[in-house]
Each structure stands twice: as structure tokens, then as C-alpha cells.
Amino acid sequence: MKKLSILVLGLLMFSCSSDDSNDTQEDSSSAVAFFKANLTNLSVNYIQDNSNSPSHVNQQSIGYSATGSNKSFYYSSNMQPLGLNDYPSLDITLHHMYESTDENAETTNFNTIFSNKPTNFITSSQDFNWTKGVSVTYTDNNDDTYSTLSGSQTGSTITYTSTVAGTNSLTGLQTQTVTGTVACKLYKDNDPSVIINLTAGSFKLVFQEYN
């Protein structure tokens, strides 16, 4: 069984976006969050800047798998358009980061949990078996999903260059802002023979505690 909680960084205004790519010249140096990458024949530059109406927003999904009273927590951070559709999008999920029978213990240990982030890409079966690891997911403009969970990641890499603890000013929940680089292979969920190569990926994503 999985349970999740979804949170969005606070914004005041909304706008629509339907293009699968974004202006690659947009500056990410002072961005709240971003995910930039080359996807085979497409370059994407998803950025949440400091304006009230950015082109993209950073959303967090937090939850756990449960067996009896034992819970295994995961943390996902996603860049998606600000508007009616939640795609095209890119996200990174850190799977099975912490196990406990007590939800409150996750809050107590949240910052320590992020001191040991995984660099191994896991498969769907490993996720089912509660293997700690990382995955990347891309949803294209047609709402088709591609994931690292569905195939070999030989040669794929993810590195973390900084991790900064913080607090969500709206909710008071603890956060971790993680920057890094990634290169991986994304397999189409309904046809794994279709592969997208993600190269030159860089990100600044905010992860948040469960409650």
C-alpha cells in the first residue's frame, strides 16, 4: 500500500503553458527551482523564477509504502507547467529513504535522512521490494510517461552538488533544496522499446518532509 501527500510551492497567480520546451536562455542562477536537460531531439528548461507567474512550478509528492505498521518513505520533486495541465514535466524520486513504524519519527529525522542520498537507479521490482534508490520520470506533451524504472541504467549517473535545509514559509514544514546533475535512459511506460536519452541534465529541486 502506498500513501502520498502532495504540496506545491506557494504562488499567487496562474497561467497556461502547452509547449513541450521552454526558453533555453531563461536564467536559472537565482531560480526557486529548475530542471534542465537534453532529451534526445528536444531541449527542455523548466524554471520556477521568483515572479508571481512563472512558466513552471516545483511540486513535491511525499508518501510511503506500508506493510503492517512499517512504513518506507519516498520523496519526489517535480517541475511542471503552471496552468491547467501538469505536463510536460520532469521529476526525481528518492525511494525508500527511511523506514519506521512511527510517522513522527520521519519529521524528527528528516534532515539526517537527506545526508545520505542514493546514486543508484532502481527498477520497478526493486521499488516493490523496498530497495533504496533514485528514479527519473518524464511526461511529454501527450501525457505519455517515460521512466528510468523500466529498463537498464548502465552508464547512467546522478550527482548531488549541494543540499540546503530550509522551511516552507507557508506550511512551516522542513525542506531540503538539492542541486545536481543527471544523465539517464527513460523508457516509455507502455512500450519500453521506445527510449529517450536524457543528457546534460541539471536540477535544483525542493524536497519536503511528510508532515
PDB file of all heavy atoms in Angstrom, residues 1-30:
ATOM      1  N   MET A   1       0.840  -1.184   0.000  1.00  0.00           N
ATOM      2  CA  MET A   1       0.000   0.000   0.000  1.00  0.00           C
ATOM      3  C   MET A   1       0.876   1.236   0.000  1.00  0.00           C
ATOM      4  O   MET A   1       1.866   1.296   0.704  1.00  0.00           O
ATOM      5  CB  MET A   1      -0.899   0.009   1.231  1.00  0.00           C
ATOM      6  CG  MET A   1      -1.825   1.218   1.297  1.00  0.00           C
ATOM      7  SD  MET A   1      -2.766   1.287   2.832  1.00  0.00           S
ATOM      8  CE  MET A   1      -1.480   1.786   3.990  1.00  0.00           C
ATOM      9  N   LYS A   2       0.471   2.227  -0.784  1.00  0.00           N
ATOM     10  CA  LYS A   2       1.194   3.491  -0.799  1.00  0.00           C
ATOM     11  C   LYS A   2       0.253   4.620  -0.395  1.00  0.00           C
ATOM     12  O   LYS A   2      -0.909   4.657  -0.739  1.00  0.00           O
ATOM     13  CB  LYS A   2       1.767   3.776  -2.190  1.00  0.00           C
ATOM     14  CG  LYS A   2       3.053   3.027  -2.485  1.00  0.00           C
ATOM     15  CD  LYS A   2       3.753   3.605  -3.691  1.00  0.00           C
ATOM     16  CE  LYS A   2       5.122   2.966  -3.863  1.00  0.00           C
ATOM     17  NZ  LYS A   2       5.873   3.557  -4.974  1.00  0.00           N
ATOM     18  N   LYS A   3       0.789   5.556   0.344  1.00  0.00           N
ATOM     19  CA  LYS A   3       0.072   6.763   0.719  1.00  0.00           C
ATOM     20  C   LYS A   3       0.936   7.940   0.348  1.00  0.00           C
ATOM     21  O   LYS A   3       2.151   7.887   0.470  1.00  0.00           O
ATOM     22  CB  LYS A   3      -0.208   6.771   2.221  1.00  0.00           C
ATOM     23  CG  LYS A   3      -1.005   7.988   2.700  1.00  0.00           C
ATOM     24  CD  LYS A   3      -1.302   7.904   4.182  1.00  0.00           C
ATOM     25  CE  LYS A   3      -2.087   9.113   4.661  1.00  0.00           C
ATOM     26  NZ  LYS A   3      -2.362   9.069   6.110  1.00  0.00           N
ATOM     27  N   LEU A   4       0.314   9.014  -0.166  1.00  0.00           N
ATOM     28  CA  LEU A   4       1.130  10.167  -0.554  1.00  0.00           C
ATOM     29  C   LEU A   4       0.483  11.466  -0.128  1.00  0.00           C
ATOM     30  O   LEU A   4      -0.711  11.559   0.101  1.00  0.00           O
ATOM     31  CB  LEU A   4       1.406  10.176  -2.061  1.00  0.00           C
ATOM     32  CG  LEU A   4       0.239  10.301  -3.040  1.00  0.00           C
ATOM     33  CD1 LEU A   4      -0.093  11.759  -3.291  1.00  0.00           C
ATOM     34  CD2 LEU A   4       0.590   9.636  -4.365  1.00  0.00           C
ATOM     35  N   SER A   5       1.326  12.463  -0.034  1.00  0.00           N
ATOM     36  CA  SER A   5       0.899  13.827   0.258  1.00  0.00           C
ATOM     37  C   SER A   5       1.521  14.727  -0.802  1.00  0.00           C
ATOM     38  O   SER A   5       2.691  14.589  -1.116  1.00  0.00           O
ATOM     39  CB  SER A   5       1.371  14.241   1.658  1.00  0.00           C
ATOM     40  OG  SER A   5       1.088  15.594   1.901  1.00  0.00           O
ATOM     41  N   ILE A   6       0.738  15.622  -1.398  1.00  0.00           N
ATOM     42  CA  ILE A   6       1.219  16.474  -2.485  1.00  0.00           C
ATOM     43  C   ILE A   6       1.175  17.933  -2.043  1.00  0.00           C
ATOM     44  O   ILE A   6       0.168  18.401  -1.539  1.00  0.00           O
ATOM     45  CB  ILE A   6       0.370  16.286  -3.755  1.00  0.00           C
ATOM     46  CG1 ILE A   6       0.469  14.824  -4.238  1.00  0.00           C
ATOM     47  CG2 ILE A   6       0.812  17.235  -4.851  1.00  0.00           C
ATOM     48  CD1 ILE A   6      -0.429  14.523  -5.402  1.00  0.00           C
ATOM     49  N   LEU A   7       2.288  18.634  -2.254  1.00  0.00           N
ATOM     50  CA  LEU A   7       2.374  20.038  -1.891  1.00  0.00           C
ATOM     51  C   LEU A   7       2.995  20.831  -3.023  1.00  0.00           C
ATOM     52  O   LEU A   7       3.802  20.316  -3.773  1.00  0.00           O
ATOM     53  CB  LEU A   7       3.205  20.230  -0.620  1.00  0.00           C
ATOM     54  CG  LEU A   7       2.700  19.454   0.612  1.00  0.00           C
ATOM     55  CD1 LEU A   7       3.575  18.231   0.813  1.00  0.00           C
ATOM     56  CD2 LEU A   7       2.685  20.330   1.841  1.00  0.00           C
ATOM     57  N   VAL A   8       2.613  22.090  -3.141  1.00  0.00           N
ATOM     58  CA  VAL A   8       3.141  22.957  -4.189  1.00  0.00           C
ATOM     59  C   VAL A   8       3.726  24.199  -3.547  1.00  0.00           C
ATOM     60  O   VAL A   8       3.154  24.747  -2.607  1.00  0.00           O
ATOM     61  CB  VAL A   8       2.028  23.371  -5.189  1.00  0.00           C
ATOM     62  CG1 VAL A   8       2.591  24.227  -6.306  1.00  0.00           C
ATOM     63  CG2 VAL A   8       1.343  22.140  -5.771  1.00  0.00           C
ATOM     64  N   LEU A   9       4.884  24.649  -4.059  1.00  0.00           N
ATOM     65  CA  LEU A   9       5.442  25.912  -3.582  1.00  0.00           C
ATOM     66  C   LEU A   9       4.456  27.034  -3.853  1.00  0.00           C
ATOM     67  O   LEU A   9       3.850  27.113  -4.910  1.00  0.00           O
ATOM     68  CB  LEU A   9       6.774  26.193  -4.286  1.00  0.00           C
ATOM     69  CG  LEU A   9       7.909  25.219  -3.968  1.00  0.00           C
ATOM     70  CD1 LEU A   9       9.164  25.663  -4.687  1.00  0.00           C
ATOM     71  CD2 LEU A   9       8.173  25.139  -2.481  1.00  0.00           C
ATOM     72  N   GLY A  10       4.273  27.915  -2.888  1.00  0.00           N
ATOM     73  CA  GLY A  10       3.225  28.913  -2.943  1.00  0.00           C
ATOM     74  C   GLY A  10       3.343  29.883  -4.107  1.00  0.00           C
ATOM     75  O   GLY A  10       4.406  30.390  -4.411  1.00  0.00           O
ATOM     76  N   LEU A  11       2.181  30.147  -4.764  1.00  0.00           N
ATOM     77  CA  LEU A  11       2.108  31.109  -5.863  1.00  0.00           C
ATOM     78  C   LEU A  11       0.801  31.883  -5.745  1.00  0.00           C
ATOM     79  O   LEU A  11      -0.168  31.398  -5.168  1.00  0.00           O
ATOM     80  CB  LEU A  11       2.142  30.378  -7.210  1.00  0.00           C
ATOM     81  CG  LEU A  11       3.468  29.695  -7.549  1.00  0.00           C
ATOM     82  CD1 LEU A  11       3.256  28.700  -8.689  1.00  0.00           C
ATOM     83  CD2 LEU A  11       4.489  30.723  -7.972  1.00  0.00           C
ATOM     84  N   LEU A  12       0.773  33.067  -6.333  1.00  0.00           N
ATOM     85  CA  LEU A  12      -0.405  33.906  -6.237  1.00  0.00           C
ATOM     86  C   LEU A  12      -1.231  33.934  -7.508  1.00  0.00           C
ATOM     87  O   LEU A  12      -2.422  34.208  -7.464  1.00  0.00           O
ATOM     88  CB  LEU A  12       0.015  35.352  -5.887  1.00  0.00           C
ATOM     89  CG  LEU A  12       0.763  35.513  -4.561  1.00  0.00           C
ATOM     90  CD1 LEU A  12       1.185  36.971  -4.416  1.00  0.00           C
ATOM     91  CD2 LEU A  12      -0.103  35.079  -3.401  1.00  0.00           C
ATOM     92  N   MET A  13      -0.622  33.687  -8.682  1.00  0.00           N
ATOM     93  CA  MET A  13      -1.314  33.795  -9.955  1.00  0.00           C
ATOM     94  C   MET A  13      -1.049  32.557 -10.787  1.00  0.00           C
ATOM     95  O   MET A  13      -0.097  31.828 -10.573  1.00  0.00           O
ATOM     96  CB  MET A  13      -0.842  35.040 -10.720  1.00  0.00           C
ATOM     97  CG  MET A  13      -1.079  36.352  -9.988  1.00  0.00           C
ATOM     98  SD  MET A  13      -0.386  37.757 -10.862  1.00  0.00           S
ATOM     99  CE  MET A  13      -1.360  37.726 -12.363  1.00  0.00           C
ATOM    100  N   PHE A  14      -1.924  32.312 -11.776  1.00  0.00           N
ATOM    101  CA  PHE A  14      -1.800  31.141 -12.630  1.00  0.00           C
ATOM    102  C   PHE A  14      -1.814  31.553 -14.100  1.00  0.00           C
ATOM    103  O   PHE A  14      -2.444  32.510 -14.502  1.00  0.00           O
ATOM    104  CB  PHE A  14      -2.953  30.157 -12.371  1.00  0.00           C
ATOM    105  CG  PHE A  14      -2.901  29.530 -11.029  1.00  0.00           C
ATOM    106  CD1 PHE A  14      -3.489  30.154  -9.936  1.00  0.00           C
ATOM    107  CD2 PHE A  14      -2.252  28.331 -10.844  1.00  0.00           C
ATOM    108  CE1 PHE A  14      -3.434  29.581  -8.673  1.00  0.00           C
ATOM    109  CE2 PHE A  14      -2.190  27.758  -9.592  1.00  0.00           C
ATOM    110  CZ  PHE A  14      -2.787  28.380  -8.514  1.00  0.00           C
ATOM    111  N   SER A  15      -1.087  30.793 -14.919  1.00  0.00           N
ATOM    112  CA  SER A  15      -1.101  30.987 -16.360  1.00  0.00           C
ATOM    113  C   SER A  15      -1.000  29.634 -17.015  1.00  0.00           C
ATOM    114  O   SER A  15      -0.752  28.633 -16.357  1.00  0.00           O
ATOM    115  CB  SER A  15       0.073  31.867 -16.810  1.00  0.00           C
ATOM    116  OG  SER A  15       1.283  31.207 -16.543  1.00  0.00           O
ATOM    117  N   CYS A  16      -1.200  29.562 -18.340  1.00  0.00           N
ATOM    118  CA  CYS A  16      -1.212  28.296 -19.058  1.00  0.00           C
ATOM    119  C   CYS A  16       0.033  28.135 -19.899  1.00  0.00           C
ATOM    120  O   CYS A  16       0.615  29.105 -20.371  1.00  0.00           O
ATOM    121  CB  CYS A  16      -2.445  28.200 -19.960  1.00  0.00           C
ATOM    122  SG  CYS A  16      -3.996  28.186 -19.034  1.00  0.00           S
ATOM    123  N   SER A  17       0.428  26.881 -20.120  1.00  0.00           N
ATOM    124  CA  SER A  17       1.559  26.571 -20.976  1.00  0.00           C
ATOM    125  C   SER A  17       1.289  25.274 -21.683  1.00  0.00           C
ATOM    126  O   SER A  17       0.870  24.302 -21.070  1.00  0.00           O
ATOM    127  CB  SER A  17       2.850  26.453 -20.160  1.00  0.00           C
ATOM    128  OG  SER A  17       3.909  26.029 -20.969  1.00  0.00           O
ATOM    129  N   SER A  18       1.517  25.202 -23.004  1.00  0.00           N
ATOM    130  CA  SER A  18       1.267  23.972 -23.750  1.00  0.00           C
ATOM    131  C   SER A  18       2.474  23.515 -24.535  1.00  0.00           C
ATOM    132  O   SER A  18       2.449  22.471 -25.168  1.00  0.00           O
ATOM    133  CB  SER A  18       0.091  24.187 -24.721  1.00  0.00           C
ATOM    134  OG  SER A  18       0.399  25.210 -25.640  1.00  0.00           O
ATOM    135  N   ASP A  19       3.554  24.276 -24.505  1.00  0.00           N
ATOM    136  CA  ASP A  19       4.746  23.932 -25.269  1.00  0.00           C
ATOM    137  C   ASP A  19       5.584  22.942 -24.498  1.00  0.00           C
ATOM    138  O   ASP A  19       5.743  23.040 -23.290  1.00  0.00           O
ATOM    139  CB  ASP A  19       5.558  25.215 -25.529  1.00  0.00           C
ATOM    140  CG  ASP A  19       6.627  25.008 -26.581  1.00  0.00           C
ATOM    141  OD1 ASP A  19       6.869  23.844 -26.948  1.00  0.00           O
ATOM    142  OD2 ASP A  19       7.211  26.012 -27.015  1.00  0.00           O
ATOM    143  N   ASP A  20       6.150  21.937 -25.194  1.00  0.00           N
ATOM    144  CA  ASP A  20       6.954  20.906 -24.543  1.00  0.00           C
ATOM    145  C   ASP A  20       8.324  21.423 -24.145  1.00  0.00           C
ATOM    146  O   ASP A  20       9.034  20.792 -23.379  1.00  0.00           O
ATOM    147  CB  ASP A  20       7.108  19.711 -25.494  1.00  0.00           C
ATOM    148  CG  ASP A  20       7.351  18.433 -24.737  1.00  0.00           C
ATOM    149  OD1 ASP A  20       6.846  18.314 -23.615  1.00  0.00           O
ATOM    150  OD2 ASP A  20       8.040  17.558 -25.278  1.00  0.00           O
ATOM    151  N   SER A  21       8.734  22.552 -24.664  1.00  0.00           N
ATOM    152  CA  SER A  21      10.032  23.125 -24.318  1.00  0.00           C
ATOM    153  C   SER A  21       9.825  24.524 -23.763  1.00  0.00           C
ATOM    154  O   SER A  21       8.764  25.111 -23.874  1.00  0.00           O
ATOM    155  CB  SER A  21      10.946  23.187 -25.552  1.00  0.00           C
ATOM    156  OG  SER A  21      10.385  24.024 -26.533  1.00  0.00           O
ATOM    157  N   ASN A  22      10.890  25.053 -23.177  1.00  0.00           N
ATOM    158  CA  ASN A  22      10.833  26.388 -22.597  1.00  0.00           C
ATOM    159  C   ASN A  22      12.021  27.177 -23.124  1.00  0.00           C
ATOM    160  O   ASN A  22      12.942  26.624 -23.694  1.00  0.00           O
ATOM    161  CB  ASN A  22      10.855  26.291 -21.057  1.00  0.00           C
ATOM    162  CG  ASN A  22      10.444  27.587 -20.401  1.00  0.00           C
ATOM    163  OD1 ASN A  22       9.756  28.400 -20.998  1.00  0.00           O
ATOM    164  ND2 ASN A  22      10.831  27.767 -19.144  1.00  0.00           N
ATOM    165  N   ASP A  23      12.025  28.487 -22.961  1.00  0.00           N
ATOM    166  CA  ASP A  23      13.105  29.332 -23.431  1.00  0.00           C
ATOM    167  C   ASP A  23      14.419  28.913 -22.788  1.00  0.00           C
ATOM    168  O   ASP A  23      14.629  29.077 -21.601  1.00  0.00           O
ATOM    169  CB  ASP A  23      12.780  30.795 -23.097  1.00  0.00           C
ATOM    170  CG  ASP A  23      13.830  31.749 -23.616  1.00  0.00           C
ATOM    171  OD1 ASP A  23      14.802  31.305 -24.261  1.00  0.00           O
ATOM    172  OD2 ASP A  23      13.674  32.950 -23.375  1.00  0.00           O
ATOM    173  N   THR A  24      15.326  28.381 -23.576  1.00  0.00           N
ATOM    174  CA  THR A  24      16.569  27.849 -23.034  1.00  0.00           C
ATOM    175  C   THR A  24      17.510  28.952 -22.574  1.00  0.00           C
ATOM    176  O   THR A  24      18.520  28.668 -21.947  1.00  0.00           O
ATOM    177  CB  THR A  24      17.292  26.981 -24.079  1.00  0.00           C
ATOM    178  OG1 THR A  24      17.522  27.760 -25.261  1.00  0.00           O
ATOM    179  CG2 THR A  24      16.453  25.763 -24.433  1.00  0.00           C
ATOM    180  N   GLN A  25      17.178  30.216 -22.864  1.00  0.00           N
ATOM    181  CA  GLN A  25      18.020  31.306 -22.422  1.00  0.00           C
ATOM    182  C   GLN A  25      17.569  31.888 -21.080  1.00  0.00           C
ATOM    183  O   GLN A  25      18.182  32.800 -20.563  1.00  0.00           O
ATOM    184  CB  GLN A  25      18.046  32.402 -23.491  1.00  0.00           C
ATOM    185  CG  GLN A  25      18.670  31.930 -24.793  1.00  0.00           C
ATOM    186  CD  GLN A  25      18.782  33.049 -25.813  1.00  0.00           C
ATOM    187  OE1 GLN A  25      18.693  34.226 -25.474  1.00  0.00           O
ATOM    188  NE2 GLN A  25      18.964  32.687 -27.066  1.00  0.00           N
ATOM    189  N   GLU A  26      16.466  31.345 -20.521  1.00  0.00           N
ATOM    190  CA  GLU A  26      15.997  31.827 -19.231  1.00  0.00           C
ATOM    191  C   GLU A  26      17.045  31.528 -18.160  1.00  0.00           C
ATOM    192  O   GLU A  26      17.596  30.437 -18.086  1.00  0.00           O
ATOM    193  CB  GLU A  26      14.669  31.150 -18.892  1.00  0.00           C
ATOM    194  CG  GLU A  26      13.983  31.758 -17.680  1.00  0.00           C
ATOM    195  CD  GLU A  26      12.586  31.184 -17.499  1.00  0.00           C
ATOM    196  OE1 GLU A  26      12.147  30.391 -18.330  1.00  0.00           O
ATOM    197  OE2 GLU A  26      11.959  31.549 -16.490  1.00  0.00           O
ATOM    198  N   ASP A  27      17.317  32.512 -17.317  1.00  0.00           N
ATOM    199  CA  ASP A  27      18.386  32.393 -16.332  1.00  0.00           C
ATOM    200  C   ASP A  27      17.921  31.575 -15.133  1.00  0.00           C
ATOM    201  O   ASP A  27      16.892  31.866 -14.531  1.00  0.00           O
ATOM    202  CB  ASP A  27      18.804  33.792 -15.889  1.00  0.00           C
ATOM    203  CG  ASP A  27      19.967  33.761 -14.914  1.00  0.00           C
ATOM    204  OD1 ASP A  27      20.656  32.732 -14.842  1.00  0.00           O
ATOM    205  OD2 ASP A  27      20.175  34.773 -14.232  1.00  0.00           O
ATOM    206  N   SER A  28      18.698  30.556 -14.760  1.00  0.00           N
ATOM    207  CA  SER A  28      18.338  29.711 -13.619  1.00  0.00           C
ATOM    208  C   SER A  28      19.172  30.016 -12.387  1.00  0.00           C
ATOM    209  O   SER A  28      18.977  29.377 -11.347  1.00  0.00           O
ATOM    210  CB  SER A  28      18.509  28.235 -13.993  1.00  0.00           C
ATOM    211  OG  SER A  28      19.862  27.963 -14.324  1.00  0.00           O
ATOM    212  N   SER A  29      20.094  30.973 -12.463  1.00  0.00           N
ATOM    213  CA  SER A  29      21.033  31.202 -11.370  1.00  0.00           C
ATOM    214  C   SER A  29      20.340  31.621 -10.082  1.00  0.00           C
ATOM    215  O   SER A  29      20.802  31.304  -8.985  1.00  0.00           O
ATOM    216  CB  SER A  29      22.071  32.257 -11.775  1.00  0.00           C
ATOM    217  OG  SER A  29      21.432  33.488 -12.092  1.00  0.00           O
ATOM    218  N   SER A  30      19.227  32.345 -10.185  1.00  0.00           N
ATOM    219  CA  SER A  30      18.509  32.795  -8.988  1.00  0.00           C
ATOM    220  C   SER A  30      17.132  32.152  -8.885  1.00  0.00           C
ATOM    221  O   SER A  30      16.269  32.632  -8.151  1.00  0.00           O
ATOM    222  CB  SER A  30      18.354  34.325  -9.005  1.00  0.00           C
ATOM    223  OG  SER A  30      17.627  34.740 -10.149  1.00  0.00           O
TER     224      SER A  30
END
